[in-house]
Amino acid sequence: PALKCSSWKRKVRTTAHSQATAAKKADKKMFALFIMLLASASAFAPQPSSTKSAVSPLKAAEELPGVADFPGFFDPLGLSDGLSEQRLKFYREAELKHGRVAMLASLGFLVGESFHPLFGGDIDVPSYVAFQATPLQKLWPLVITVIAWFEISAAVETFMPPSEALWTLKDDYESGDLGFDPLGLKPTDPDELKTLQTKELNNGRLAMLGIAGMVAQELVSGGKIF
């Protein structure tokens, strides 16, 4: 009787296992069928309308200020392809800042070599080594601190808090608009503003190339530009 009872229990367990396996297979088939039907139905379902039309990053880049009649939209390396709107905005902010610094540097580079009344007027050297020839060379940590203060102050106003996103400009921030316009030169007409912004960008781009060329020339020649 003990052997019969053991054999019966094994048969019961085997039968139960077979039924459970069959049930699982049936469930998987039903789930797969459900997914297929859902995918088929979604293909014919009406898509929700968006109140804001989607604009590709490349199209957004082509409509930004800085695209002049010649050479038009110039991006031979495709650096704007696949960029998010925020990243494109970050690159534009970087271009504007570098362009403005380069315009000031180009002007100071040339003027400083011809007109240098500071520090007794005795510093008559090429601009690429002018800083090393001044007493400020001994105070470079203070100079770096002052520059860092300006950079951090500007970043607090223009970038989102690091706790929310890194290296991301605020949504309501307009690239290059630091609120500094003491002469009231900013046009109120959108078309005039875009034209002025394009001129600033193109001058900044030329200045970046110009200051790089002037520094290279003085490094090679060891003398002043003029």
Side-chain angles (χ1 to χ4, degrees), residues 7 85 116-118 123 130 138 147 188 205 222-223:
S7 177
E85 183 179 353
H116 38 80
L118 299 179
I123 302 175
K138 301 177 182 178
I147 295 174
T188 55
R205 292 162 179 167

Side-chain angles (χ1 to χ4, degrees), residues 89-137:
K89 192 175 181 180
F90 175 81
Y91 283 163
R92 172 45 53 91
E93 178 71 11
E95 182 184 26
L96 272 169
K97 181 174 288 187
H98 283 83
R100 289 169 176 175
V101 171
M103 285 188 281
L104 291 173
S106 299
L107 180 62
F109 210 83
L110 296 175
V111 172
E113 290 185 346
S114 303
F115 181 70
H116 38 80
L118 299 179
F119 306 107
D122 299 327
I123 302 175
D124 190 11
V125 295
S127 287
Y128 82 101
V129 292
F131 179 78
Q132 290 86 331
T134 68
L136 293 176
Q137 174 66 12

Side-chain angles (χ1 to χ4, degrees), residues 9 25 47 58 62 88 90 100 119 130 176 213 226:
K9 289 181 178 180
K25 290 182 178 179
Q47 299 298 321
L58 181 60
E62 292 175 354
L88 187 64
F90 175 81
R100 289 169 176 175
F119 306 107
F226 299 111

Side-chain angles (χ1 to χ4, degrees), residues 157-200:
E157 296 295 328
T158 57
F159 283 87
M160 296 176 64
S163 58
E164 298 181 12
L166 291 175
W167 307 109
T168 302
L169 293 165
K170 295 180 179 178
D171 294 332
D172 58 349
Y173 173 70
E174 183 180 353
S175 297
D177 188 1
L178 301 177
F180 182 76
D181 186 21
L183 300 180
L185 300 177
K186 183 178 179 179
T188 55
D189 182 73
D191 292 335
E192 293 181 3
L193 177 60
K194 188 174 183 178
T195 300
L196 189 63
Q197 289 173 329
T198 298
K199 291 179 179 178
E200 180 187 23

